[in-house]
Structures are given as C-alpha cells and as structure tokens.
Amino acid sequence: MLLIPCPWCGPRPENEFRYGGQANLTRPAASADDAARGAYLYLRDNPRGRHQERWRHRHGCGRFFNCVRDTVTDRIASTSKIGSL
Amino acid sequence: MMQPFRTAEGGRIDRSHRVRFSFDGQAYSGYAGDTLASALLANDVCLIGRSFKYHRPRGIMSAGSEEPNALVTIDRGAGRIAPNLRATSVELYDGLKACSQNRFPSLRFDIGALAGLAAPLLPPGFIYKSFMWPPSFWKRLYEPAIRRTAGLGRTPAEADPDRYLNQYAHCDILIIGGGAAGLAAALGASATGARVILCDEQAELGGGLLDEPNVTIDGWPAPDWVREAIGTLNGSVTLLPRTTAFGWYPNTMIGLTERLTDHLGEPGSQRPRERLWQVRAERVVLATGAIERPLVFPGNDRPGIMLAGAARTYLHRYGVKVGKRVVVATAGDSAYRAATDLHMAGVAIAGIVDRRPAGDSEAIQSARALGIPIHNGMTISSTEGRNRVHSAKLSNGTDIIPCDTILMSGGWTPSVHLFSQSRGALVFDAASGTYLPSQDAVGACAGVFDLSTSLRDGTAAFGGEPRSFAVLGVPAMAPSEPPVATVPHRGAFVDFQNDVTTKDLAIAADEGFVSIEHVKRYTTAGMATDQGKTSNLNALTAIAGLTGQGIEHTGLTTFRPPYTPVTFGALAGPVRGDLFAPIRLPPIATPGAVQEDAGTWKRARCFPNAKETIAAAVARECLAVRNDAGMLDASTLGKIAVEGPDAAAFLSRIYTDDFTKLEPGQCRYAVMLGEDGFIRDDGIVARLAPDRFHVTTTTGGAAYVLHHMEDYRQTEFFAMRVWLTSVTEQWAVIAIQGPRAAEVLALFIPDIDLGTMPHMAVRAGHIGDVPIQLFRVSFTGETGFEINLPPDHAQRVWDTLRQRDVTPFGTDAMHVLCAEKGHIVIGQETDGTVTPDDVGLGWTIRGTDCIGKRSLSLPDLKRHDRKQLVGLLPADPAVVLEEGAQVTVAPSARDGLSGPSVGARNAQSVGHVTSSHCSPTLNRGFALALLAAGRSRIGTQLSVAGPDGGIPVTVTAPVFLEKTADRPKPSPRRTQEPLLPLADQPAPVVRPCDSVQLATLAPITRLSIRAGPAAGTAIGLALGVLLPTVPCRSVMTPNRAALWLGPDEWLIVAPESASELAALARKAVGDHPASIIDVSHRSQTLEIAGPCAAWCLNAFCALDLDLTAFPVGMCTRTLLGAAEIVLWRIVAEVFHVDVARSLMPYVRACLEEARLEFVDVEVVSSRPK
C-alpha cells in the first residue's frame, strides 16, 4: 500500500485516496473546434517515468491535489495544493 | 516407542514431554520442541515424499524453511487440511497427522516413478513442445491430464473454519531475523528509545545460536545468551517469533504472518490461527541470515543426502543424529564443524570429500586430529541407494564409500529475497561468488559469517557505538569459495523441488536461452513453493558456466513475494462473512420484504403477503399506486446540500438545466452529463432558499456524483463560492404515490396546504410532531409526495401510514411504474454512451455552458442513426421480453435506416431491450429499448431474440400510459391525526472488558460548517469554540468542540439543539458566505476506550495511532475496514468513532471482532501486554 503525502494531512495510506487522472488539463472553451474537444476528452499522456497527476484525499480532507509520480517505480516525487477558495 | 536416532542427551527438546504423531498412518513419537522433520529423523524415517516431475524418492535436505523436498500434508480435521507444508517448519504436537504427497498407491511403491524412466522424453519445455496440436485438445484433454499427474498436495474442498486476524502496525525499526545479528541489532536499537519490532520465522528466537551449545558469548553458552538477550529486550521491543516477513511492499510496508495456534494442536479451537501484520517501518534491518547451498553431483537428491549445517541443527537443537555412517562432501570449512560435532556425538564419519586442495584452518585441523579421512581435490561422482543412499563414489573413479548419509556444503547464499523485493541494488561479491545487499543488512545476510563481527555490526546498525562481545569456541575458518559450474548431467539436481538438472539447463542454453529470467521460465528452475532458495545460485553458476559470461554478467532473477507460502486465510484476515463488505440497511425496517442489493444498500424489492408470489406482489403494489396510494422507502437516494452565493450558477454547470431562474420552493428534474456528453446521473434539484439547494442522486450514484461535483468545485470552477455536503443519511425519505396520496397525508400534515401545493415544489412543515421537508414530485405519473424527515422518526411515520392502508411497494414496482411512463432508470436505459437526446431528454438542456454540452455537437453524437429510446409491445401480450435481448430486423426487410448492409441472410441487430416488465395496469408485457434510429421505426414490426426464436414486437413511443391528471384531492378536513409513539431502540448487548470498552454514545448535535477564514473566525467567536486552522486538530471546550475536517470544513459538536446553534452561527457570519448544515442525524458515535483501544482500531484502520503520531485532540476522516469514519482522540485511551448510521452495524461488528481476543478468554492472545 502506497503512502501518499496529502498536502494538508501529511502521509496517509493509499486506500484513503482516489486517483484523479492527468493533471493540468485545460478545459477548452465552448467555441473551441471539434479536434480540440476530442483531444481534451480522450487524449492523455502515458509517460514512462514522471507523470503529473491529480489525486483526491477522498476519505480524508476531501481535497484534490497535484502529484508527481514515477510510473516505473511508483515513487511520489512531490505533492502540492491546487486552486481552492 | 523407540527413537533409534535420538541422542542420549542434549538438544532443546523437552524429553519429559513425549508427543505422539502419525505419518502416512504409522504411529511414532517425538518430544515437545521437535519439528516434524526432526521427529521423523529420530524415528529413522528417511523417505518423506516424491519429487514433482519424476516422482523420485526424496528425504529431508534442510532444517529450515528453505526445504525443497520434505513437503507434507497436515490434517487438522475437516476444512483444516493444509498441503505442501515443509516438514522442517512444522512444529510437532500431540496427535499430529501428517501424510506424504505426490505418490500412488504408496510412498514406497509409486507408479508415477515410471516418469523417471521416461526422463529423456521429458526435457525442459516438453509441455509446450509435446501438447501443441490440435489446439482444442489443450483445454479439454492435455491441461486436465497434466494437472492431475504434476501436482503436489490437494486443496481442501470445505470452507476454512479457522479465524484469522489483521493488524496494522508502525515502527521506527523492523528487524527481520532473530539470530545473532538480529538480536544484537535489537539490543542496539532498544537503547535509542525507538519503536522496534523483531520478527523471526522460527518458533524460538536465536537462529543459528541455538545450534551452538559449545560456543560462549560473554561467558554465556550461546543459547543462554539468547535467553538473556530476550529478557533484556522484553518490554522495550515487540518480539514476534513464528512470524515470517514474506513481502516488502511500496513505501516500506512489510507483510508478516504470525502463526498463533498451528503448533498447539487444538482441533476445533476458536482461537485465531494466524495474524497478518502490515507493518509500516521507517527502517528495516535485514538479519535474515544465509542458506547453505547443495553441491551439484549426480545422484545428489537421494534420501539421506542433506545439507551439512542442517545435520548440526538436528544434533544440537533436536538431539537427533542424522545417520550412522556419514560422508561429508564440501567446498568450504563450515562442513568440517558438522563432521567433528557428529564424530564427537558418536557418529562414524566415513570421510570428508573436499573439492579444494588440503587446507589448514582450525576447523580442518580439528577434523584431521580426530582421524577423519579427508579426500582433497575431489567430489562425489555418483551415489547409490533407492529409498536411502547407501554409497558414494568419488570423482577419482575408484573409491566407493559405503554410508547411510551424505552431508553436502557448497557454501552459503545470503538470504537477499526481501532486499531484492525492495528493489534494492544487489552487489556481486566476487570473493564468495554471491550477491549481497548494498545496505540495510547485517550478519550473514550481509556476507559476514564471523559471529563476533556479526554481533558487533548488529549493535551498530543504527549509528550507535559498536559493542563487542567475547566469543569463544568457534574455530577459525577460511572464507568460502565461489561456486563452480559442473559437467552437465541428467541426475545432478540443481532445483530439487522442480526436478531441474544441470542437463536441463544445458539444453536451455543450447536452445539459445541466455537471459537468466528466460532460463528460469523455460526450465522452471527457481519456481515452485520454495522459490529456489537452495537452487538459484547453483542454477546461475551453471548457466554462467555454459554461456561463459560469468556470474556477475548473468545476473540474478528478481525475487517476488511471498518469501514462503502464505495462507489465503491470513491474507483475507477477518474480511469474510459479515465483514466481507458493509451491508447498509435503510432507516425503515421492512420485515417480510424480499430484499435486493442496490449499490451498497439492501432495499426492499417487494412486500409479498402470505403465499403470494413475487410477481403477484409486484402487480398488487403497482395497482395500489395507480388506483389508491402506495409508499416507497426512498431513503437510500443520495442527497447533497449545495449552498453558497454561487450555488445556482454552479448547479447550472453541473446539470443541464438553468437553475438561476428556479424560484425558492420549486424543484426541477435534472440530468447530469459527463464532459463527453453522455448521461451520468439524474435527480431532483430543489431550491430551498436563494443560496441553498437540496439535490438528490440515484442510490448507486451518490458517491460518484459528490466526487464529480467536488472535482469541478475544487479544480475548475474554484472561483465560485459554493459548498457541497452529503446529507444522504441526515434525511429518511418516504415517497407516497397514488390518487389518494394527498388525502392520506392531509390527515397528518396540518401546516402545508396540499391542495394548493403545485407539482415540483418543496415546503417545510410537520407530520405529527416531526419536522419535515415535503417535496411534491412524481416518478409514476400519479400524484406524488416525498416526505424528508429525521431518520429516527421514519419507522413510526411509515408504520402509521401503513395503518392507514397505504400499500408499501418496493423497487420492482417502482421500476414498472417508471417504465410505464417512459422514465429512464440510470444504469438501465443508460450505459455511459447515451446522450439526453437519445432518451428523449433533449429538452432538459437549457443551461448555457453545462458540462458536456459542447460535446453534444460532436459529429458522432449528432448522427441520425444513433440508438434512441422507444417502446416495444410484443404481439402476444402474455410475453415479457428478456432485458438485454437483441432487437433484430428480418433479413428480408429492406432496412435503409441501420448502417451498411452486411449482405448476409442473417437477421441484423438494431439495438437491445433495456427494461422489460409486465404491466398490471395494461395487463400485458411491454419494454423499453434502445434502437438505431429508433424514433423513425415507431409503428414498424421487429423481432426480439427469445429462448425459442424471434418474438414479433411493434415499436411504439416510450410512453405506455396516457397522461393522468396530477391533481391532488386532499381530504376536505385537514386535521392532525396522531402518529404512533416513538419506539424504544434496544440497546446493544456489550460484553464488558477492562482492556477495551465499546459504547454507542447518546445523540448529540453536529453542525457541518463550510466557510472561508473570515466567516470561520466569526462563527468560532460566536460559538465560543475557535475553529482550528491546523489540519486534523480539534479545539475542545467543556461544552463544545470544533473539529478540523478539511481546509474549509469543520464539524461542531455541542449539546444544544441544532436549530438554535445554526441560528447563532448564521447570525455571526452576516454577509460572509458560508454553509451551515445540521448533520446531527447523519452519523452516530462509538466510543472505544481502554489501554488496548488503539490496538483494536489498528485491526481495521491503517493509521499510526501511537500518541506521538496521533496525539490527544487529533481528528481526521479515515477508513475503518471499508467504512469511512471520523476518528477523534479525546484522551490518550479514548477515541470517538463517528460513522454514518447505515454503516454503524458494520463498524461495530469490526470492532467487536478486534475486541474478541480481550473479551473472551477462549480466544485470548498474548498481545499487547
């Protein structure tokens, strides 16, 4: 079980978290063309190595946060808070 | 009974305690403290089993968990038959029943041994090579046949009756291995005040020191030094004997299995059999020792051929002589100690065959001084003997030495399995020819074989001052030499458990396998239950020799968990039966109802009267709703309070409708899309006040919808001032539907005028004396109301309405009633690929930029031949179609509507049935279906696949009942009839126990506060309890407490009424945005108290509950088993567990299970003290 450092609550066991997919996707404006929309919906990075992703401390403080995880070693390089009130 | 190979004295067995046991039905006796292996050896039982592939007779090769040969089945009674146990690790108890494996009809005369004659026909990969064709034979013939012949023990067919425990633990230092280095490391670590756990797989701590009665440490005989060290460590270090560290998982989580009762021999015992430890360690120290390697020579697998170190263990620990006339074959000095020790015990040493030239170390000199013949520069070239070895032929080709035992020693391989699992870097040590861990290891695991160095290194493993011990009695020995490759020979076994010889490895090399990982998979060397503990390095050496690339370039295969086999029971732990998954029960008990699973809930399907069938009950319930009044427990629907100045704007993004124009007091049906434009969920959005909304979700979608909303709230629309709070369990819901609904309700609701209350509206009022929110909504087309009320009162309202002849109905009738009106059911008519327009809900899209709206104009989502929702009426009204059945057009019908014609004569599928029922109102079967270009097919005839061929159907619009007038007809007299009294809740029976007490606390007011810093401060000042800003901390005053649950989320716990407290808080925030919600009924609180409270919680909760890591006042949401809880430490030994009402029975059952070992003396265990 991974130990994931929540930026608010500190290191917590993996089962408290839910994966939130690739980070830093920009939701295109409604005026964007079909290709941009399709890319936003269905195209994701699949790196071997460092991956920018989102996690949510679902059974904890409930916050989404950013995480840099190595997809080869599963090691988490860093986690950080993202925009909220 | 005789034990002919037992010494007259010595060993660590209890000779006053004789133990009877049986092997293959034959009775024997041993002593307490024996293993099955040592007792069998003492009784001159040498043949223990048959090998896996060639069914060769095999005996005992080792004295530890590395044993590849002596696998037995232990029978502890029905459901308790354990196959493939290593006789060397099975502790003897009175009445033990053991059986040999992989033999027929008996161990001595085994038909399968004929496979040995066919060995040349069974090269590596023979299965892949021989059983190729035809492919269909593989599944039906080859595989079952191979599985029958090639197999070890049989698994039991019954359910496992044993209990298993789980424990999460945290420590600063985990020491794996309780031998000299491990004990010294524990002595060093305990001085630092760190939290230390030491585990060892054997029954007794001490490892190899227990084999050394003639060695002294600081003046103590080594076994007595072990006893003294344990005495010193007891209390400051958690000592876990009989506990195997089997796996190293990410972030230094180590899996341990502790065997609690197998050694006691108590058939039928309710005491837990094993405990799985999941230990999160800051540091791990590997003191796992080393395993002796066999020598690779032809005939090295016969019974009576054993590792030299094992012979010393049997002699010194168990008082067993492994033979009467022994030949020792070695490549190192340590075997000389076995020879001299056995000689001193009166065993004839017929010779030492040393691969090396003559040496003169102290160990060798001692053997020479005893007159033991030594043959240098030689090894064994063959052996003879069927069920026990009787002679060894030396490699000079002339000498044949009669013997009954051969001891072999090819050097020692450090046990680096766990280090390899940790993905640590193994370093090749050319001097010993082995791989060593680059860090974290002490003693033999680190390649240190000198006792005093091991002890000193151990004490200094944590940076402390190294401590030296005076070690006497170990003869000086030359360091062991690297292993050497031998000539490939069919009978020279490398992997004993999988019957892999040097010849097999040579064939693999000839066929081009170079990578050691490929060789392993092709030859199966290093596989099976022993995972190559004795064979890996010999296989590696052989391959390196064959390919000429050197051991360091050949590399080691990756070790994977588990180190030794782990029972499924231990892995499952207590998560079985009632604790397998939480069963959530709604607040209204419905005895007699037929239940079904809905998400994690149990819901009533229908309420059959005596002798009524399910179909008849559903029909009766449907008619009651259409003609009279029915009621449904809709409490399981998800409910979310959406509050804040931007709540309307937020919901207009989340759902397809525009809610900015919805007036307070109004509701609207709402559809939620994913960003891809497909329907995810639906529900009702009700505006309670300009900045307060109440949103319902489907039962199964509640958790997803809240997560989805939080995602957009936190990461996309983060500038919006809005908060989301689950109130699913704060409110019970009784839905009343039918023409008489208003009339019945009017008897109980004095303060809402049901006659003027419009459709899709919400009002606050009272039913009897109970405060309610009344929604006027309908999913049946009939007049409908949904009463939201506190769950504690739901049962009496339900029972009162039932007395007024309101018919309870279940989810089956609900589905029929919905489908009759063409209302979709999420998950039934939708499957994640359905747009609103596909199901006729295009009209709900009124928002300007809701999630998913843009995707609806993507070309594929606008295609004219998308599947659309239609109705189907079977030509025969008695027929009810199967849900999921394909809808087809006849091959003759020219169908321009579906995609390109396949040109075949077969019928073509154009869609499938999504819901199908028998309508008691229409008195016929009907269905909903998704059909390609379905709306244009209305009026046409199609066919639906049925068990007896196509069923003709007519396509219709997806509405089957004419619109009924939804006009409530309340009773002319609006009175207030009394409700049934509130029933007393039976208090749960609690068994008292001083170590840990469990109690459900009385209800108390809880407010969920969602606010920014300014409003938070104002609320804190007004309530006299400041809202903590430090994560996971609480502020406690004598009356109230504030718990930090998230950066803008607090829980207030207080004794006064919720409305009073909420009014106070609302007044304090003024114009600052905030969300203040009464959640008093949502959860209940368990108090768990006592010195073992944290221990019990850790059976199901993975957090570190040490006082330093989880101090008094700490609070957090977390998981207990599969249930989300809020855990709050009130004082050092008292925790409050806040848990959703529906999960309370599950959480209580979990903690009762964890508590059992303290409550019930019958199941008491030793920890914690």
Side-chain angles (χ1 to χ4, degrees), chain B residues 378-394:
Chain B
M378 270 185 257
T379 184
I380 292 175
S381 62
S382 66
T383 64
E384 294 298 330
R386 202 161 71 97
N387 290 335
R388 179 158 196 162
V389 65
H390 63 59
S391 68
K393 186 174 182 185
L394 302 195

Side-chain angles (χ1 to χ4, degrees), chain B residues 55-81:
Chain B
H55 291 245
R56 286 175 66 92
R58 291 282 166 83
I60 293 163
M61 190 170 101
S62 72
S65 66
E66 69 269 31
E67 176 61 40
N69 288 339
L71 299 186
V72 295
T73 295
I74 301 293
D75 181 355
R76 294 186 301 125
R80 291 183 159 111
I81 294 172

Side-chain angles (χ1 to χ4, degrees), chain B residues 859-1026:
Chain B
D860 197 57
L861 274 65
K862 292 192 298 186
R863 284 200 347 248
H864 77 282
D865 59 346
R866 286 189 61 80
K867 286 187 176 180
Q868 295 164 340
L869 188 70
V870 293
L872 299 179
L873 289 176
D876 177 355
V879 167
V880 177
L881 303 171
E882 273 189 61
E883 291 182 352
Q886 295 294 313
V887 183
T888 57
V889 287
S892 57
R894 291 175 186 279
D895 182 49
L897 297 167
S898 48
S901 167
V902 288
R905 275 169 290 171
N906 295 331
Q908 189 183 350
S909 171
V910 293
H912 66 280
V913 175
T914 58
S915 292
S916 176
H917 307 281
C918 175
S919 165
T921 309
L922 301 168
N923 201 20
R924 64 165 299 136
F926 72 104
L928 293 169
L930 282 167
L931 301 187
R935 288 197 278 271
S936 63
R937 295 181 191 273
I938 289 173
T940 63
Q941 313 288 316
L942 294 174
S943 179
V944 172
D948 305 315
I951 300 165
V953 296
T954 304
V955 182
T956 70
V959 182
F960 301 91
L961 283 183
E962 288 308 305
K963 196 167 173 58
T964 47
D966 178 25
R967 196 164 296 129
K969 301 178 200 86
S971 154
R973 61 185 176 100
R974 277 171 48 209
T975 57
Q976 188 176 359
E977 304 253 324
L979 287 177
L980 292 171
L982 199 54
D984 288 335
Q985 295 296 315
V989 180
V990 180
R991 302 172 73 182
C993 160
D994 288 339
S995 303
V996 48
Q997 301 117 39
L998 203 56
T1000 307
L1001 299 187
I1004 193 163
T1005 290
R1006 292 183 197 80
L1007 287 189
S1008 172
I1009 306 283
R1010 309 297 300 270
T1017 307
I1019 293 169
L1021 290 171
L1023 298 186
V1025 52
L1026 291 179

Side-chain angles (χ1 to χ4, degrees), chain A residues 1-3 8 12 15-16 18 27 30 32-34 37 40 54 56 59-64 73 83, chain B residues 250-251 280 423 675 707 711 713-716 723 854-855 859 1031 1045 1047-1048 1103 1116-1119 1124:
Chain A
M1 188 154 48
L2 289 179
L3 200 60
W8 297 95
R12 291 297 188 94
N15 61 355
E16 290 184 4
R18 176 168 169 161
R27 188 168 180 254
D33 63 14
D34 286 356
R37 186 75 187 171
Y40 168 65
R54 308 184 317 154
R56 182 178 176 224
H59 299 296
C61 64
R63 293 290 113 171
F64 280 85
T73 63
Chain B
N251 302 114
R280 186 82 70 180
R423 304 185 194 182
E675 203 66 88
H707 177 79
D711 190 349
R713 185 185 85 88
Q714 291 181 34
T715 71
E716 195 61 48
W723 288 276
R854 170 64 182 83
S855 295
L1045 293 182
D1048 63 351
L1103 295 186
T1116 181
R1117 261 193 221 106
T1118 184
L1119 287 173
E1124 184 179 285

Side-chain angles (χ1 to χ4, degrees), chain B residues 9 20 108 118 144 219 232 246 338 358 437 543 575 578 616 630 719 776 909 992 1017 1137 1157:
Chain B
E9 57 183 19
R20 289 157 303 151
R108 290 196 156 261
T232 309
F246 64 83
I543 285 293
V575 184
D578 289 346
R776 190 163 163 226
S909 171
T1017 307
V1137 177
E1157 59 180 307

